[in-house]
Amino acid sequence: MIKVGILGGTGRVGSLLIDDLANDKEARVSAVHVFGKLEKNLPSDTIVTNDMKVLFDSSDVIIDFSAPAATEALLTQVIENGGNKPLVIATTGFTKHQQNLLLEASKIVPILYATNMSLGVAVLNKLVALASKTLRDFDIEIVEQHHRHKVDSPSGTALTLAEHAASARDLNLDDVRISGRDGQIGARTKDEIAVMALRGGDIVGRHTVGLYNDGEFLELNHTATARNTFSKGAIKVAKWIIGKDAKLYSINDALGL
Ligand SMILES: NC(=O)C1=CN([C@@H]2O[C@H](COP(=O)(O)OP(=O)(O)OC[C@H]3O[C@@H](n4cnc5c(N)ncnc54)[C@H](OP(=O)(O)O)[C@@H]3O)[C@@H](O)[C@H]2O)C=CC1
Ligand SMILES: O=C(O)C1=N[C@H](C(=O)O)C[C@H](O)C1
């Protein structure tokens, strides 16, 4: 059985990871990193720890659905303290520094980073690149909707979709991204890509990429209707990454897209 360590085990997705692994035939939860109390029934041999080294030592692969500071500690364990297990990282909202740590750590261990672990969004990224390139004159606007508890904005998925849209047009997203409109801001500029966030209720995750022109528009939408879409997706890619070379992998690598 593959031993899976979890970072963020007390969280919304981390808790589902524990449930999914309890029913998995090839993988099981071996260790959970927590600060406080984990209100969850776990197999009796599961290690519950707040020590990153123990998390690494007890696992064949680590799945991370936590928070940027926690992921930073995980990556630091690889870079500075010899943590040497493959990582599946799903946390969003990283700073530039944390993105650089991800790159640095991926020279030491295999890391799969995906802002969205669903198959649907992996395909949506490809569709968006195709539509952005083909419909070069269409204005692109992205709207994401999430539950009221989400702390980062815009979502990692929306930013990844925007990156696909921008790079298909040979644009640098940092140069063209708009994150809000208010007041006498002037007409829309040709290349700008707005990424807007809505928060409310229990929306699991909804992303719409609109391409608008005179006389027609196209909207590509993905809606996650169950949060375990993400935990199940992460377990699938965790099985795939074991035994791979040190490198930063995308979900497309794992899904063969
Ligand atoms: N890529 C994908 O497919 C998806 C990614 N996500 C991302 O995953 C992350 C988690 O989402 P969600 O489960 O909803 O969030 P929650 O807020 O429910 O859970 C966050 C978890 O991280 C832990 N945590 C927070 N700070 C630290 C820290 N400094 N060190 C160690 N652990 C820490 C929390 O522990 P404690 O309870 O002790 O505070 C908790 O277990 C978010 O970044 C979200 O955007 C979410 C869904 C899908
Ligand atoms: O926080 C969430 O819930 C989600 N976060 C991810 C993101 O920021 O894109 C993925 C998913 O949409 C749910």
Side-chain angles (χ1 to χ4, degrees):
M1 288 285 262
I2 297 168
K3 292 185 287 172
V4 179
I6 298 176
L7 182 61
T10 56
R12 276 175 290 275
V13 187
S15 167
L16 294 172
L17 269 177
I18 293 171
D19 295 343
D20 292 338
L21 285 166
N23 297 315
D24 200 287
K25 294 204 164 45
E26 300 159 79
R28 66 175 177 89
V29 57
S30 57
V32 184
H33 182 283
V34 290
F35 279 131
K37 217 169 163 216
L38 183 63
E39 314 263 338
K40 196 99 190 149
N41 285 332
L42 290 165
S44 56
D45 56 349
T46 308
I47 293 165
V48 179
T49 180
N50 63 4
D51 184 334
M52 281 294 174
K53 182 173 177 339
V54 173
L55 181 70
F56 273 86
D57 288 348
S58 325
S59 314
D60 297 322
V61 59
I62 295 168
I63 302 180
D64 163 34
F65 282 87
S66 61
T71 310
E72 184 169 337
L74 184 78
L75 296 170
T76 303
Q77 187 68 25
V78 171
I79 297 163
E80 292 178 9
N81 303 322
N84 66 346
K85 299 291 163 59
L87 306 178
V88 170
I89 296 184
T91 300
T92 57
F94 295 144
T95 60
K96 281 270 180 254
H97 170 66
Q98 288 158 346
Q99 287 169 19
N100 286 336
L101 290 181
L102 193 63
L103 280 174
E104 217 182 307
S106 71
K107 293 174 189 153
I108 303 168
V109 296
I111 300 182
L112 187 146
Y113 180 54
T115 54
N116 196 301
M117 292 289 171
S118 75
L119 175 60
V121 166
V123 172
L124 180 62
N125 280 319
K126 294 187 92 78
L127 294 175
V128 166
L130 174 70
S132 171
K133 191 175 169 126
T134 313
L135 306 175
R136 183 63 183 85
D137 292 332
F138 286 45
D139 302 327
I140 299 183
E141 304 268 329
I142 299 176
V143 179
E144 57 99 334
Q145 296 168 258
H146 283 88
H147 52 95
R148 62 168 73 93
H149 305 288
K150 185 163 176 62
V151 292
D152 58 312
S153 165
S155 69
T157 306
L159 289 172
T160 304
L161 289 164
E163 274 158 18
H164 280 80
S167 69
R169 292 181 174 186
D170 294 322
L171 298 170
N172 181 349
L173 183 61
D174 289 340
D175 298 337
V176 294
R177 180 160 76 89
I178 301 286
S179 54
R181 295 191 180 101
D182 191 5
Q184 295 293 317
I185 57 164
R188 189 185 197 283
T189 59
K190 184 172 176 308
D191 284 335
E192 72 190 49
I193 296 177
V195 184
M196 306 295 193
L198 275 70
R199 295 286 175 268
D202 63 354
I203 302 171
V204 174
R206 185 170 167 82
H207 293 87
T208 306
V209 180
L211 297 104
Y212 304 92
N213 202 4
D214 298 334
E216 61 174 323
F217 66 81
L218 171 67
E219 287 180 339
L220 301 168
N221 170 265
H222 176 271
T223 302
T225 52
R227 187 164 282 116
N228 69 4
T229 302
F230 308 127
S231 49
K232 286 184 187 306
I235 292 169
K236 181 171 182 177
V237 301
K239 291 174 185 173
W240 174 88
I241 202 168
I242 291 170
K244 298 287 182 293
D245 293 334
K247 195 181 149 181
L248 187 58
Y249 294 95
S250 75
I251 194 162
N252 289 7
D253 295 319
L255 299 178
L257 294 175

